Amino acid sequence: MKRILIFLITIIFIFASFKHGYIKNIRITSYYPNDSTNSKECTASGYCTKDFTLNNEGMYTFNGKIVIATPTYKCTSLKTGVCKKYNSLPKGYHQYNLHDEIKLTFNNKQYDAIVLDICGACYWDEGLQRYDIFVQGKKYVIDTYGTTYIKTHINFYLLSISIILIVLLLILIIKKKLSIDLKRHT
């Protein structure tokens, strides 16, 4: 009975370890060099406008993906510089690593995007999380709504507990088998 209970708990922990992907409604805005927030030509990734190409919609692209700014793990963990104001994320918001690739859908079109910059306004609790697209200038400003696909995430803490439970279950099974074998030989 103990083994069955441990097995069932293990299965529950394994399933709880994985948060499956889903589509999330978002707000999509833009920024450009020398805008009212004093954005620069270079991004937090170290790449600058000279490293990008422009698509027909005035969006900077890198390797065919539109360049975006979002909350980043790096910024959230820093307590200095620009990021010292942005070290907490509203509930339900997502953060990314620089160079993460995501999909954005807005204005009836899907875009492949790459996170190459940090967005301070994306940390604001506005109801819908903001994603900021790097555009050429004021002529190409974007402020609309769309969606993104949030990928599957793994909770490594719960997964670790699952592994420990599997080891415990194996120990119990081996112990039971050894106990049965000893009884046969005596």
Side-chain angles (χ1 to χ4, degrees), residues 3-176:
R3 287 177 288 169
I4 293 171
L5 184 60
I6 291 173
F7 176 76
L8 291 174
I9 292 171
T10 303
I11 297 298
I12 290 168
F13 273 99
I14 288 171
F15 279 109
S17 299
F18 295 92
K19 183 176 182 184
H20 298 286
Y22 60 95
I23 294 185
K24 179 180 175 134
N25 292 322
I26 58 171
R27 180 177 177 199
I28 298 170
T29 57
S30 59
Y31 67 108
Y32 53 90
N34 302 312
D35 62 11
S36 63
T37 64
N38 202 23
S39 296
K40 304 293 182 204
E41 290 189 3
C42 294
T43 62
S45 65
Y47 292 110
C48 302
T49 54
K50 65 180 175 47
D51 302 308
F52 306 139
T53 55
L54 284 165
N55 68 12
N56 294 337
E57 299 165 82
M59 295 180 236
Y60 284 107
T61 64
F62 184 75
N63 294 332
K65 297 166 183 65
I66 60 173
V67 176
I68 64 170
T70 67
T72 64
Y73 290 104
K74 182 178 180 180
C75 189
T76 304
S77 67
L78 291 175
K79 306 291 186 230
T80 61
V82 175
C83 293
K84 71 180 170 187
K85 295 191 292 188
Y86 305 113
N87 50 26
S88 68
L89 207 57
K91 185 177 180 178
Y93 279 31
H94 295 274
Q95 55 190 336
Y96 300 89
N97 290 304
L98 290 177
H99 301 280
D100 277 354
E101 297 179 9
I102 63 174
K103 294 195 180 297
L104 300 176
T105 303
F106 61 98
N107 297 339
N108 298 316
K109 189 171 178 184
Q110 186 177 50
Y111 297 88
D112 290 323
I114 185 167
V115 177
L116 292 180
D117 211 354
I118 298 165
C119 171
C122 296
Y123 283 83
W124 299 346
D125 189 353
E126 301 180 301
L128 289 178
Q129 183 171 351
R130 179 190 298 228
Y131 289 66
D132 226 3
I133 298 173
F134 198 24
V135 297
Q136 183 179 22
K138 191 173 190 171
K139 176 180 174 184
Y140 300 100
V141 167
I142 300 167
D143 192 348
T144 190
Y145 297 94
T147 60
T148 189
Y149 180 75
I150 305 298
K151 296 178 184 177
T152 300
H153 292 279
I154 300 170
N155 182 326
F156 289 102
Y157 176 73
L158 292 177
L159 194 57
S160 298
I161 291 172
S162 300
I163 292 168
I164 291 168
L165 288 171
I166 289 169
V167 169
L168 179 61
L169 185 60
L170 289 173
I171 290 169
L172 289 173
I173 291 170
I174 291 169
K175 185 178 172 184
K176 179 77 171 177

